[in-house]
Amino acid sequence: MQGIWVTELQTPHLALSCRVKKTLHWEKTPYQELSIVDTEAFGRMLLLDDVIQTTVKDEFVYHEMIAHVPLNTHPHPREVLVIGGGDGGAIREIIKHASVTRAVLVEIDARVVATAREYLPEIACGLDDTRVEIRFEDGIDHVRRFEAQYDVIIVDSTDPVGPAAGLFTREFYQNVFKALKPDGLFVAQTESPFFNAEFIRRVYHDIASVFPITRIYLATIPTYPGGLWTFSLGSKEYDPLAVDPARIPRLPTRYYSPEVHRAAFILPPFVQEILHSEEEKEKI
Amino acid sequence: MQGIWVTELQTPHLALSCRVKKTLHWEKTPYQELSIVDTEAFGRMLLLDDVIQTTVKDEFVYHEMIAHVPLNTHPHPREVLVIGGGDGGAIREIIKHASVTRAVLVEIDARVVATAREYLPEIACGLDDTRVEIRFEDGIDHVRRFEAQYDVIIVDSTDPVGPAAGLFTREFYQNVFKALKPDGLFVAQTESPFFNAEFIRRVYHDIASVFPITRIYLATIPTYPGGLWTFSLGSKEYDPLAVDPARIPRLPTRYYSPEVHRAAFILPPFVQEILHSEEEKEKI
């Protein structure tokens, strides 16, 4: 391993390293350390506090799956909120949906958006769409202030530590419920079943205590620890499993498809087991 | 990254590192360097020439998916051949099938089997089953010598470099075809769609030039480069997509299930695109 490498300590015991072609940007924002490096394996890469957030090579998996699954579960999503997601990738996918009239991006750190616009134009390219509103504020405060406003809310956050921890609490899910219209739904990225099983179980039960429909789905993102990644969805009315694949529009996507929509909810037994707490197992 | 770590250079530009609790074994066999290390993230790990082959934590994904997909595609698999797979993981899954009367393991390196028996008993535990025959010989030579012998052949090899390169040629697939019964089928591990797209395309077309039915399926294996992994299947008669999930027996598995069997063949568009060569695209 000679030369220049960027290394993420994915867990205290696991590290992923990529050879660096060029370090393009580094700064300390009011919220975090932000860097952009160009890597041989994944192209340009955005890191926050030394954790890989997205890369040009594999971002399509994450952004397509966090956006199109909820937006195709809702039969006519008009107003969509993204919390976090300052790179613009989720917004780029959302505005592919003709039904969407308004996409609000609530990102706490204005420097993430500015830096993505400069160095990751293929990801940030949707941010100038006329339907997009960008607000630099705390997502937790934002959902507290709204009632029956959004059709879909997407929590595109960093890992559940530090400022993002508040995006993974029962109280936050209650405020998301309130900010959604009576038939609204939300989705959040919720970490790895190989390394964060207890976390996924807690989030699942917290969402299920607030929303009538709770589902987990999977996608494989090479730069995230373990590759296999969960998304957790809470819905007031529409079940993502009840969507007729034939009714899903064929959008230009590279990972998501109407067939992948359904397959993503097929959970291997070890992931199903995570969702059932010890108490529930005792009851069975 | 203080302390003792084991690092695999997964590509020339990408490295995975695991913190080491203890190095249990190292030797130079006649064929390769073989080591067993106990890691915090994945438990005990087998490396050949410094490439991670299997770990106690994630081996179930690979071994279940390479064994149960072909064995449940065949309606009554009796004689099964594994080429490579000296750790015994594929054999452990194969002998869960009551129809199997004979499981032959052809591993070139006797030291892999002996070391797995000593240090990876939870993986090697099936090797003492009375239906299992172990032969220390070259898998390429083995299939050349047999005709209409096997129901299922599983190529559980190292990466397609060095001695394993001969397991990924059109000539080898022709010999596999010959060694299979008239309704036989085979499967091989065939690398990452993120990093080995050209390789996967070539293998797919080579298999398709020999077998009437060719299919690719996916599973996510955290310790393999990119996580997302392909398996390629060539079949004389039975189509893995035509299997009725209701007829698949419920075996004790943690990743594979009748539902996962079907979902694994749902390929994201970027994987589907890999299978179509440039010439074919021009024809369309």
Side-chain angles (χ1 to χ4, degrees), chain A residues 1 5 7 9-10 12-19 40-42 57-58 60-61 194-195 220-222 226-228 253-257 259-260 263 266-271, chain B residues 1 5 7 9-10 12-19 40-42 57-58 60-61 194-195 220-222 226-228 253-257 259-260 263 266-271:
Chain A
M1 283 180 66
W5 292 73
T7 295
L9 214 51
Q10 296 186 312
H13 309 301
L14 182 66
L16 189 75
S17 305
C18 301
R19 191 186 293 277
E40 295 277 355
F42 293 106
K57 181 161 177 168
D58 73 347
F60 68 99
V61 181
F194 283 101
F195 296 111
T220 301
I221 301 150
L228 194 66
T253 49
R254 297 178 60 212
Y255 189 94
Y256 179 89
S257 71
E259 296 76 23
V260 167
I266 306 293
L267 307 180
F270 89 102
V271 181
Chain B
M1 284 182 66
W5 292 73
T7 294
L9 213 52
Q10 296 187 312
H13 309 301
L14 181 67
L16 189 74
S17 304
C18 300
R19 190 187 294 276
E40 295 277 357
F42 294 106
K57 180 161 177 168
D58 74 347
F60 67 99
V61 181
F194 283 101
F195 297 110
T220 301
I221 300 150
L228 194 67
T253 49
R254 295 179 61 212
Y255 190 93
Y256 179 89
S257 71
E259 297 76 22
V260 167
I266 306 292
L267 306 180
F270 89 102
V271 181

Coordinates of all heavy atoms in Angstrom, one line a residue, chain A residues 1 5 7 9-10 12-19 40-42 57-58 60-61 194-195 220-222 226-228 253-257 259-260 263 266-271, chain B residues 1 5 7 9-10 12-19 40-42 57-58 60-61 194-195 220-222 226-228 253-257 259-260 263 266-271:
Chain A
M1 N 0.8 -1.2 0.0 CA 0.0 0.0 0.0 C 0.9 1.3 0.0 O 0.8 2.1 0.9 CB -0.9 0.0 1.2 CG -2.1 -0.9 1.1 SD -3.2 -0.9 2.5 CE -3.9 0.8 2.4
W5 N -3.3 7.2 0.2 CA -4.6 6.5 0.3 C -5.5 7.3 1.3 O -5.0 8.0 2.2 CB -4.3 5.1 0.9 CG -3.6 4.2 0.0 CD1 -2.3 4.2 -0.3 CD2 -4.1 3.1 -0.7 NE1 -1.9 3.2 -1.2 CE2 -3.1 2.5 -1.4 CE3 -5.4 2.5 -0.7 CZ2 -3.3 1.3 -2.2 CZ3 -5.6 1.4 -1.5 CH2 -4.5 0.8 -2.3
T7 N -8.4 6.5 4.0 CA -8.9 5.4 4.8 C -10.0 5.8 5.7 O -9.9 6.8 6.4 CB -7.7 4.8 5.7 OG1 -6.7 4.3 4.8 CG2 -8.2 3.7 6.6
L9 N -12.2 4.4 8.8 CA -12.4 3.4 9.8 C -14.0 3.1 9.9 O -14.7 3.9 10.5 CB -11.9 3.9 11.2 CG -11.3 2.9 12.1 CD1 -10.2 2.1 11.5 CD2 -10.7 3.7 13.3
Q10 N -14.4 2.1 9.2 CA -15.9 1.9 9.0 C -16.5 1.4 10.4 O -17.6 1.7 10.7 CB -16.1 0.8 8.0 CG -15.7 1.3 6.6 CD -16.1 0.3 5.5 OE1 -15.9 -0.9 5.6 NE2 -16.7 0.8 4.4
P12 N -14.6 0.3 14.5 CA -13.3 0.4 15.2 C -12.4 -0.7 14.7 O -11.2 -0.7 14.9 CB -13.7 0.2 16.7 CG -15.1 0.6 16.8 CD -15.8 0.3 15.5
H13 N -12.9 -1.8 14.1 CA -12.2 -2.9 13.7 C -12.1 -3.2 12.2 O -11.6 -4.3 11.8 CB -12.8 -4.2 14.4 CG -13.0 -4.0 15.8 ND1 -12.0 -3.7 16.7 CD2 -14.1 -4.0 16.6 CE1 -12.5 -3.5 17.9 NE2 -13.8 -3.7 17.9
L14 N -12.6 -2.3 11.4 CA -12.7 -2.5 10.0 C -12.4 -1.2 9.2 O -13.0 -0.2 9.6 CB -14.1 -3.0 9.6 CG -14.4 -3.3 8.2 CD1 -13.7 -4.6 7.8 CD2 -15.9 -3.6 8.1
A15 N -11.5 -1.3 8.2 CA -11.1 -0.1 7.5 C -11.2 -0.3 6.0 O -10.8 -1.4 5.5 CB -9.7 0.4 7.9
L16 N -11.7 0.7 5.3 CA -11.7 0.6 3.8 C -10.8 1.7 3.3 O -10.9 2.9 3.8 CB -13.1 0.9 3.3 CG -13.3 0.7 1.7 CD1 -13.3 -0.8 1.4 CD2 -14.6 1.3 1.2
S17 N -9.8 1.4 2.4 CA -8.9 2.4 1.9 C -8.9 2.4 0.4 O -9.0 1.4 -0.3 CB -7.4 1.9 2.3 OG -7.4 1.8 3.7
C18 N -8.9 3.6 -0.1 CA -8.9 3.9 -1.6 C -7.7 4.7 -1.9 O -7.3 5.7 -1.3 CB -10.1 4.6 -2.0 SG -11.7 3.8 -1.5
R19 N -7.0 4.3 -3.0 CA -5.9 5.0 -3.5 C -6.4 6.4 -4.1 O -7.4 6.5 -4.7 CB -5.2 4.3 -4.7 CG -3.9 4.9 -5.1 CD -3.4 4.1 -6.3 NE -3.0 2.8 -6.1 CZ -1.8 2.4 -5.6 NH1 -0.9 3.3 -5.2 NH2 -1.6 1.1 -5.4
E40 N -9.0 6.3 -7.4 CA -9.0 5.4 -8.5 C -10.2 4.5 -8.6 O -10.7 4.2 -9.6 CB -7.7 4.5 -8.5 CG -6.4 5.3 -8.6 CD -6.0 5.6 -10.0 OE1 -6.7 5.2 -11.0 OE2 -5.0 6.4 -10.2
A41 N -10.6 4.0 -7.4 CA -11.6 2.9 -7.4 C -13.0 3.4 -7.5 O -13.8 2.8 -8.2 CB -11.5 2.1 -6.1
F42 N -13.3 4.6 -7.0 CA -14.7 5.1 -7.0 C -14.9 6.5 -7.6 O -15.9 7.1 -7.4 CB -15.2 5.1 -5.5 CG -15.4 3.7 -5.0 CD1 -14.5 3.2 -4.0 CD2 -16.4 2.8 -5.4 CE1 -14.6 1.9 -3.5 CE2 -16.5 1.5 -4.9 CZ -15.6 1.1 -4.0
K57 N -18.9 6.7 -8.4 CA -19.1 5.4 -9.0 C -20.3 4.7 -8.4 O -21.0 4.0 -9.2 CB -17.8 4.5 -8.8 CG -18.0 3.1 -9.4 CD -16.6 2.5 -9.6 CE -16.8 1.0 -10.1 NZ -15.6 0.5 -10.7
D58 N -20.5 4.7 -7.1 CA -21.6 3.9 -6.6 C -22.8 4.7 -6.0 O -23.7 4.1 -5.5 CB -21.1 2.9 -5.5 CG -20.7 3.6 -4.2 OD1 -20.6 4.8 -4.1 OD2 -20.5 2.8 -3.2
F60 N -25.2 6.0 -7.4 CA -26.6 5.7 -8.0 C -27.4 4.7 -7.2 O -28.6 4.8 -7.2 CB -26.4 5.3 -9.5 CG -25.7 4.0 -9.7 CD1 -26.5 2.8 -9.9 CD2 -24.4 3.8 -9.6 CE1 -25.9 1.6 -10.2 CE2 -23.7 2.6 -9.9 CZ -24.5 1.5 -10.1
V61 N -26.7 3.8 -6.6 CA -27.4 2.7 -5.9 C -28.2 3.4 -4.7 O -29.4 3.3 -4.6 CB -26.5 1.7 -5.3 CG1 -27.3 0.6 -4.5 CG2 -25.6 1.0 -6.4
F194 N -25.1 -6.3 9.1 CA -24.0 -7.1 9.6 C -23.4 -6.4 10.8 O -22.9 -7.1 11.7 CB -22.9 -7.3 8.5 CG -23.3 -8.3 7.5 CD1 -23.7 -8.0 6.3 CD2 -23.1 -9.7 7.8 CE1 -24.1 -9.0 5.3 CE2 -23.4 -10.7 6.9 CZ -23.9 -10.3 5.7
F195 N -23.4 -5.1 10.9 CA -22.7 -4.4 12.0 C -23.6 -3.6 12.9 O -23.2 -3.1 13.9 CB -21.7 -3.5 11.4 CG -20.6 -4.2 10.6 CD1 -20.5 -4.1 9.2 CD2 -19.7 -5.1 11.3 CE1 -19.5 -4.8 8.6 CE2 -18.8 -5.8 10.6 CZ -18.7 -5.7 9.2
T220 N -27.2 -2.8 -2.1 CA -25.8 -3.1 -1.8 C -25.0 -1.9 -2.3 O -25.0 -1.5 -3.5 CB -25.3 -4.3 -2.5 OG1 -26.0 -5.4 -2.0 CG2 -23.8 -4.6 -2.2
I221 N -24.3 -1.2 -1.3 CA -23.5 0.0 -1.6 C -22.1 -0.3 -1.3 O -21.7 -0.4 -0.1 CB -24.1 1.2 -0.8 CG1 -25.6 1.4 -1.2 CG2 -23.3 2.5 -1.0 CD1 -26.5 1.9 -0.1
P222 N -21.2 -0.4 -2.3 CA -19.8 -0.9 -2.0 C -19.0 -0.1 -1.0 O -18.2 -0.7 -0.3 CB -19.2 -0.8 -3.4 CG -20.3 -1.0 -4.4 CD -21.5 -0.3 -3.7
G226 N -19.7 -3.3 5.1 CA -20.4 -4.5 4.8 C -21.1 -4.6 3.5 O -21.6 -5.7 3.1
G227 N -21.3 -3.4 2.8 CA -21.9 -3.4 1.5 C -23.5 -3.5 1.6 O -24.1 -2.6 1.1
L228 N -24.0 -4.5 2.3 CA -25.5 -4.6 2.4 C -26.0 -3.5 3.3 O -25.5 -3.3 4.4 CB -25.8 -6.0 3.0 CG -27.2 -6.4 2.9 CD1 -27.7 -6.6 1.4 CD2 -27.4 -7.7 3.6
T253 N -32.8 4.7 -14.8 CA -32.1 4.3 -13.6 C -31.1 3.2 -13.8 O -31.3 2.4 -14.8 CB -33.1 3.9 -12.5 OG1 -34.0 2.9 -13.0 CG2 -33.9 5.0 -11.9
R254 N -30.1 3.0 -13.0 CA -29.1 2.0 -13.2 C -29.2 0.9 -12.1 O -28.6 -0.2 -12.3 CB -27.7 2.6 -13.2 CG -27.5 3.6 -14.3 CD -26.1 4.2 -14.3 NE -25.1 3.2 -14.4 CZ -23.9 3.3 -13.8 NH1 -23.6 4.3 -13.1 NH2 -23.1 2.3 -13.9
Y255 N -29.8 1.1 -11.0 CA -30.0 0.1 -10.0 C -31.4 -0.2 -9.7 O -31.8 -1.4 -9.8 CB -29.3 0.5 -8.7 CG -29.2 -0.6 -7.6 CD1 -28.1 -1.4 -7.5 CD2 -30.3 -0.9 -6.8 CE1 -28.0 -2.4 -6.6 CE2 -30.2 -1.9 -5.8 CZ -29.1 -2.7 -5.7 OH -29.0 -3.7 -4.8
Y256 N -32.2 0.8 -9.5 CA -33.7 0.6 -9.3 C -34.4 0.2 -10.6 O -34.0 0.7 -11.7 CB -34.3 1.9 -8.8 CG -35.8 1.9 -8.5 CD1 -36.3 1.5 -7.3 CD2 -36.7 2.2 -9.5 CE1 -37.6 1.4 -7.1 CE2 -38.0 2.1 -9.3 CZ -38.5 1.7 -8.1 OH -39.9 1.6 -7.9
S257 N -35.4 -0.6 -10.4 CA -36.3 -1.0 -11.5 C -37.6 -1.4 -10.8 O -37.6 -1.7 -9.6 CB -35.7 -2.1 -12.4 OG -35.7 -3.3 -11.7
E259 N -38.9 -4.2 -10.9 CA -38.6 -5.6 -10.4 C -37.7 -5.5 -9.1 O -37.9 -6.2 -8.2 CB -37.9 -6.4 -11.5 CG -38.8 -6.7 -12.7 CD -38.9 -5.5 -13.6 OE1 -38.0 -4.6 -13.6 OE2 -39.9 -5.4 -14.4
V260 N -36.7 -4.6 -9.2 CA -35.8 -4.4 -8.0 C -36.6 -3.9 -6.8 O -36.3 -4.2 -5.7 CB -34.6 -3.5 -8.4 CG1 -33.9 -3.1 -7.1 CG2 -33.7 -4.3 -9.3
A263 N -38.0 -6.9 -5.2 CA -36.9 -7.8 -4.7 C -36.2 -7.2 -3.5 O -35.8 -8.0 -2.6 CB -35.9 -8.1 -5.8
I266 N -37.4 -8.5 -0.2 CA -37.2 -9.9 0.2 C -36.0 -10.0 1.1 O -34.9 -9.8 0.6 CB -37.0 -10.7 -1.1 CG1 -38.1 -10.6 -2.1 CG2 -36.8 -12.2 -0.7 CD1 -39.4 -11.1 -1.7
L267 N -36.2 -10.2 2.3 CA -35.1 -10.2 3.3 C -34.6 -11.6 3.6 O -35.4 -12.5 3.9 CB -35.6 -9.5 4.6 CG -36.3 -8.2 4.5 CD1 -36.7 -7.7 5.9 CD2 -35.4 -7.1 3.9
P268 N -33.3 -11.7 3.6 CA -32.7 -13.0 4.0 C -33.1 -13.3 5.4 O -33.3 -12.4 6.2 CB -31.2 -12.8 3.9 CG -31.0 -11.6 3.0 CD -32.3 -10.8 3.1
P269 N -33.2 -14.6 5.8 CA -33.7 -14.9 7.2 C -32.9 -14.2 8.3 O -33.5 -13.8 9.2 CB -33.5 -16.4 7.2 CG -33.6 -16.9 5.8 CD -33.1 -15.8 4.9
F270 N -31.6 -14.0 8.1 CA -30.8 -13.3 9.2 C -31.3 -11.9 9.4 O -31.1 -11.3 10.5 CB -29.3 -13.5 9.0 CG -28.6 -12.4 8.2 CD1 -27.9 -11.4 8.8 CD2 -28.7 -12.4 6.8 CE1 -27.3 -10.4 8.1 CE2 -28.1 -11.4 6.1 CZ -27.4 -10.4 6.7
V271 N -31.7 -11.2 8.3 CA -32.2 -9.9 8.4 C -33.6 -9.9 9.1 O -33.9 -9.0 9.9 CB -32.2 -9.1 7.1 CG1 -32.7 -7.7 7.3 CG2 -30.8 -9.1 6.5
Chain B
M1 N -5.3 3.8 12.9 CA -5.2 2.3 12.7 C -4.0 1.8 13.4 O -3.1 1.2 12.8 CB -5.1 2.1 11.2 CG -6.4 2.2 10.5 SD -6.3 1.8 8.7 CE -5.9 0.1 8.7
W5 N -3.2 -5.3 12.1 CA -4.3 -5.4 11.1 C -3.9 -6.4 10.0 O -2.7 -6.5 9.6 CB -4.6 -4.0 10.5 CG -5.1 -3.0 11.4 CD1 -4.5 -2.4 12.5 CD2 -6.5 -2.5 11.5 NE1 -5.3 -1.5 13.1 CE2 -6.6 -1.6 12.5 CE3 -7.6 -2.8 10.7 CZ2 -7.7 -1.0 12.9 CZ3 -8.8 -2.1 11.0 CH2 -8.9 -1.2 12.1
T7 N -4.6 -6.8 6.0 CA -5.0 -6.0 4.8 C -5.0 -6.8 3.6 O -4.0 -7.4 3.2 CB -4.2 -4.7 4.7 OG1 -4.3 -3.9 5.8 CG2 -4.6 -3.9 3.4
L9 N -5.4 -6.3 -0.5 CA -5.5 -5.3 -1.6 C -6.6 -6.0 -2.5 O -6.3 -6.8 -3.3 CB -4.1 -5.2 -2.2 CG -3.7 -3.9 -2.8 CD1 -3.9 -2.7 -1.9 CD2 -2.3 -4.0 -3.3
Q10 N -7.8 -5.5 -2.4 CA -8.9 -6.1 -3.2 C -8.8 -5.8 -4.7 O -9.2 -6.6 -5.5 CB -10.3 -5.6 -2.6 CG -10.5 -6.0 -1.2 CD -11.9 -5.7 -0.7 OE1 -12.4 -4.5 -0.9 NE2 -12.6 -6.6 -0.1
P12 N -5.9 -3.1 -7.2 CA -4.7 -2.4 -7.0 C -5.0 -1.0 -6.3 O -4.1 -0.4 -5.8 CB -4.2 -2.1 -8.4 CG -4.7 -3.2 -9.2 CD -6.1 -3.5 -8.6
H13 N -6.3 -0.6 -6.2 CA -6.6 0.7 -5.8 C -7.5 0.7 -4.6 O -8.1 1.7 -4.2 CB -7.3 1.5 -6.9 CG -6.5 1.5 -8.1 ND1 -5.2 2.0 -8.2 CD2 -6.8 1.0 -9.4 CE1 -4.7 1.8 -9.4 NE2 -5.7 1.2 -10.2
L14 N -7.8 -0.5 -4.0 CA -8.8 -0.6 -3.0 C -8.4 -1.7 -1.9 O -7.9 -2.8 -2.3 CB -10.1 -1.1 -3.6 CG -11.4 -1.3 -2.7 CD1 -11.8 0.1 -2.1 CD2 -12.5 -1.9 -3.5
A15 N -8.4 -1.3 -0.7 CA -7.9 -2.2 0.4 C -9.0 -2.4 1.5 O -9.6 -1.4 1.9 CB -6.6 -1.8 0.9
L16 N -9.1 -3.6 2.0 CA -10.0 -3.8 3.2 C -9.0 -4.3 4.3 O -8.2 -5.2 4.1 CB -11.0 -4.9 2.9 CG -12.1 -5.1 3.9 CD1 -13.1 -4.0 3.9 CD2 -12.8 -6.4 3.7
S17 N -9.2 -3.7 5.5 CA -8.3 -4.1 6.6 C -9.2 -4.4 7.8 O -10.2 -3.8 8.1 CB -7.4 -2.9 7.0 OG -6.7 -2.4 5.9
C18 N -8.8 -5.5 8.5 CA -9.5 -5.9 9.7 C -8.5 -6.0 10.8 O -7.4 -6.6 10.7 CB -10.1 -7.3 9.4 SG -11.3 -7.4 8.1
R19 N -8.9 -5.6 12.0 CA -8.1 -5.7 13.2 C -8.0 -7.1 13.6 O -8.9 -7.9 13.6 CB -8.7 -4.9 14.3 CG -7.8 -4.7 15.5 CD -8.6 -4.1 16.7 NE -9.0 -2.7 16.4 CZ -8.2 -1.6 16.6 NH1 -6.9 -1.8 17.0 NH2 -8.6 -0.4 16.3
E40 N -11.5 -9.1 14.7 CA -12.6 -8.6 15.5 C -13.9 -8.5 14.7 O -15.0 -8.8 15.2 CB -12.3 -7.2 16.0 CG -11.1 -7.1 17.0 CD -11.5 -7.5 18.4 OE1 -12.7 -7.6 18.7 OE2 -10.6 -7.5 19.3
A41 N -13.8 -8.1 13.4 CA -14.9 -7.8 12.6 C -15.6 -9.0 12.1 O -16.9 -9.0 12.0 CB -14.6 -6.8 11.5
F42 N -14.9 -10.0 11.7 CA -15.4 -11.2 11.0 C -15.1 -12.5 11.6 O -15.4 -13.6 11.1 CB -15.0 -11.2 9.5 CG -15.5 -10.0 8.7 CD1 -14.7 -8.9 8.4 CD2 -16.9 -9.9 8.4 CE1 -15.2 -7.9 7.7 CE2 -17.4 -8.9 7.7 CZ -16.5 -7.8 7.3
K57 N -18.0 -15.0 10.1 CA -19.1 -14.2 10.2 C -20.0 -14.1 8.9 O -21.2 -14.1 9.0 CB -18.7 -12.8 10.6 CG -19.9 -11.8 10.7 CD -19.6 -10.6 11.5 CE -20.8 -9.6 11.6 NZ -20.6 -8.6 12.6
D58 N -19.3 -14.1 7.8 CA -20.1 -13.9 6.5 C -20.1 -15.1 5.6 O -20.8 -15.0 4.5 CB -19.8 -12.6 5.8 CG -18.4 -12.7 5.1 OD1 -17.7 -13.6 5.3 OD2 -18.2 -11.7 4.3
F60 N -21.7 -17.7 5.5 CA -23.1 -18.4 5.2 C -23.7 -17.8 4.0 O -24.3 -18.5 3.2 CB -24.0 -18.2 6.4 CG -24.4 -16.8 6.7 CD1 -25.7 -16.3 6.3 CD2 -23.7 -15.9 7.4 CE1 -26.1 -15.0 6.6 CE2 -24.1 -14.6 7.7 CZ -25.3 -14.2 7.3
V61 N -23.4 -16.6 3.7 CA -24.0 -16.0 2.5 C -23.5 -16.7 1.2 O -24.2 -17.2 0.4 CB -23.7 -14.5 2.3 CG1 -24.3 -13.9 1.1 CG2 -24.1 -13.7 3.6
F194 N -19.2 -4.5 -10.0 CA -18.6 -3.1 -9.9 C -17.1 -3.1 -10.4 O -16.7 -2.1 -11.0 CB -18.6 -2.6 -8.5 CG -19.9 -2.1 -8.1 CD1 -20.8 -2.9 -7.3 CD2 -20.4 -0.9 -8.5 CE1 -22.0 -2.4 -6.9 CE2 -21.7 -0.4 -8.1 CZ -22.5 -1.2 -7.3
F195 N -16.4 -4.2 -10.2 CA -15.0 -4.2 -10.6 C -14.6 -5.2 -11.7 O -13.4 -5.1 -12.2 CB -14.1 -4.5 -9.3 CG -14.3 -3.4 -8.3 CD1 -15.0 -3.7 -7.1 CD2 -13.8 -2.2 -8.5 CE1 -15.2 -2.7 -6.1 CE2 -14.0 -1.2 -7.5 CZ -14.7 -1.5 -6.3
T220 N -24.8 -10.6 -1.5 CA -23.9 -9.6 -1.0 C -23.0 -10.2 0.1 O -23.5 -10.7 1.1 CB -24.7 -8.4 -0.4 OG1 -25.5 -7.8 -1.4 CG2 -23.7 -7.4 0.2
I221 N -21.7 -10.2 -0.2 CA -20.7 -10.8 0.7 C -19.7 -9.7 1.2 O -18.9 -9.2 0.4 CB -20.0 -11.9 -0.1 CG1 -21.0 -13.0 -0.5 CG2 -18.9 -12.6 0.8 CD1 -20.6 -13.7 -1.8
P222 N -19.9 -9.3 2.5 CA -19.1 -8.1 3.0 C -17.6 -8.2 2.7 O -17.0 -7.1 2.5 CB -19.5 -8.1 4.5 CG -20.8 -8.7 4.5 CD -20.8 -9.8 3.5
G226 N -16.4 -4.8 -3.1 CA -17.6 -4.2 -3.6 C -18.9 -4.8 -2.9 O -20.0 -4.2 -3.0
G227 N -18.7 -5.9 -2.2 CA -19.8 -6.5 -1.5 C -20.7 -7.3 -2.5 O -20.9 -8.5 -2.3
L228 N -21.2 -6.7 -3.5 CA -22.1 -7.3 -4.4 C -21.4 -8.4 -5.3 O -20.3 -8.0 -5.9 CB -22.8 -6.3 -5.4 CG -24.0 -6.7 -6.2 CD1 -25.2 -7.1 -5.3 CD2 -24.4 -5.7 -7.2
T253 N -31.3 -22.2 7.0 CA -30.4 -21.3 6.3 C -30.6 -19.9 6.9 O -31.6 -19.5 7.4 CB -30.7 -21.3 4.8 OG1 -32.0 -21.1 4.6 CG2 -30.2 -22.5 4.1
R254 N -29.6 -19.0 6.7 CA -29.6 -17.7 7.2 C -29.7 -16.6 6.2 O -30.0 -15.5 6.4 CB -28.4 -17.4 8.1 CG -28.4 -18.4 9.4 CD -27.1 -18.1 10.2 NE -27.1 -16.7 10.7 CZ -26.0 -16.0 10.9 NH1 -24.8 -16.6 10.7 NH2 -26.1 -14.8 11.3
Y255 N -29.3 -16.9 4.9 CA -29.4 -16.0 3.8 C -30.3 -16.5 2.8 O -31.2 -15.8 2.3 CB -28.0 -15.7 3.2 CG -27.9 -14.6 2.2 CD1 -27.6 -13.3 2.7 CD2 -28.2 -14.8 0.9 CE1 -27.6 -12.2 1.7 CE2 -28.2 -13.7 0.0 CZ -27.9 -12.4 0.4 OH -27.9 -11.4 -0.5
Y256 N -30.1 -17.7 2.3 CA -31.0 -18.3 1.3 C -32.4 -18.6 1.8 O -32.5 -19.0 3.0 CB -30.3 -19.6 0.8 CG -31.2 -20.3 -0.3 CD1 -31.0 -20.0 -1.6 CD2 -32.2 -21.2 0.1 CE1 -31.8 -20.6 -2.6 CE2 -32.9 -21.9 -0.9 CZ -32.7 -21.5 -2.2 OH -33.5 -22.1 -3.2
S257 N -33.3 -18.4 1.0 CA -34.7 -18.9 1.3 C -35.4 -19.1 0.0 O -34.8 -18.6 -1.1 CB -35.5 -17.8 2.1 OG -35.8 -16.7 1.4
E259 N -37.8 -17.5 -1.2 CA -38.0 -16.1 -1.8 C -36.7 -15.5 -2.3 O -36.7 -14.8 -3.3 CB -38.7 -15.3 -0.7 CG -40.1 -15.8 -0.3 CD -40.0 -17.0 0.7 OE1 -38.9 -17.2 1.3 OE2 -41.0 -17.7 0.8
V260 N -35.7 -15.7 -1.5 CA -34.4 -15.1 -1.9 C -33.9 -15.8 -3.2 O -33.2 -15.1 -4.0 CB -33.3 -15.3 -0.8 CG1 -31.9 -15.0 -1.2 CG2 -33.7 -14.3 0.4
A263 N -35.5 -13.7 -5.8 CA -35.0 -12.3 -5.8 C -33.6 -12.2 -6.3 O -33.2 -11.2 -6.9 CB -35.2 -11.8 -4.4
I266 N -33.1 -11.2 -9.9 CA -33.6 -9.9 -10.3 C -32.4 -9.0 -10.4 O -31.8 -8.6 -9.3 CB -34.6 -9.3 -9.3 CG1 -35.8 -10.2 -9.1 CG2 -35.1 -7.9 -9.8 CD1 -36.7 -10.5 -10.2
L267 N -31.9 -8.7 -11.6 CA -30.7 -7.9 -11.7 C -30.9 -6.4 -11.9 O -31.8 -6.1 -12.7 CB -29.9 -8.4 -12.9 CG -29.6 -9.9 -13.0 CD1 -28.9 -10.3 -14.2 CD2 -28.9 -10.4 -11.7
P268 N -30.2 -5.6 -11.1 CA -30.3 -4.1 -11.4 C -29.9 -3.9 -12.9 O -29.1 -4.6 -13.5 CB -29.3 -3.5 -10.5 CG -29.1 -4.5 -9.4 CD -29.3 -5.9 -10.0
P269 N -30.5 -2.8 -13.5 CA -30.2 -2.5 -14.9 C -28.7 -2.5 -15.2 O -28.3 -3.0 -16.2 CB -30.9 -1.2 -15.1 CG -32.0 -1.1 -14.1 CD -31.6 -1.9 -12.9
F270 N -27.9 -1.9 -14.3 CA -26.4 -1.9 -14.6 C -25.8 -3.2 -14.7 O -24.8 -3.4 -15.4 CB -25.7 -0.9 -13.6 CG -25.1 -1.6 -12.4 CD1 -23.8 -1.9 -12.3 CD2 -25.9 -1.9 -11.3 CE1 -23.2 -2.5 -11.2 CE2 -25.4 -2.5 -10.2 CZ -24.1 -2.8 -10.1
V271 N -26.3 -4.2 -14.0 CA -25.8 -5.6 -14.1 C -26.3 -6.2 -15.4 O -25.6 -6.9 -16.1 CB -26.2 -6.5 -12.9 CG1 -25.6 -7.9 -13.1 CG2 -25.6 -5.8 -11.6

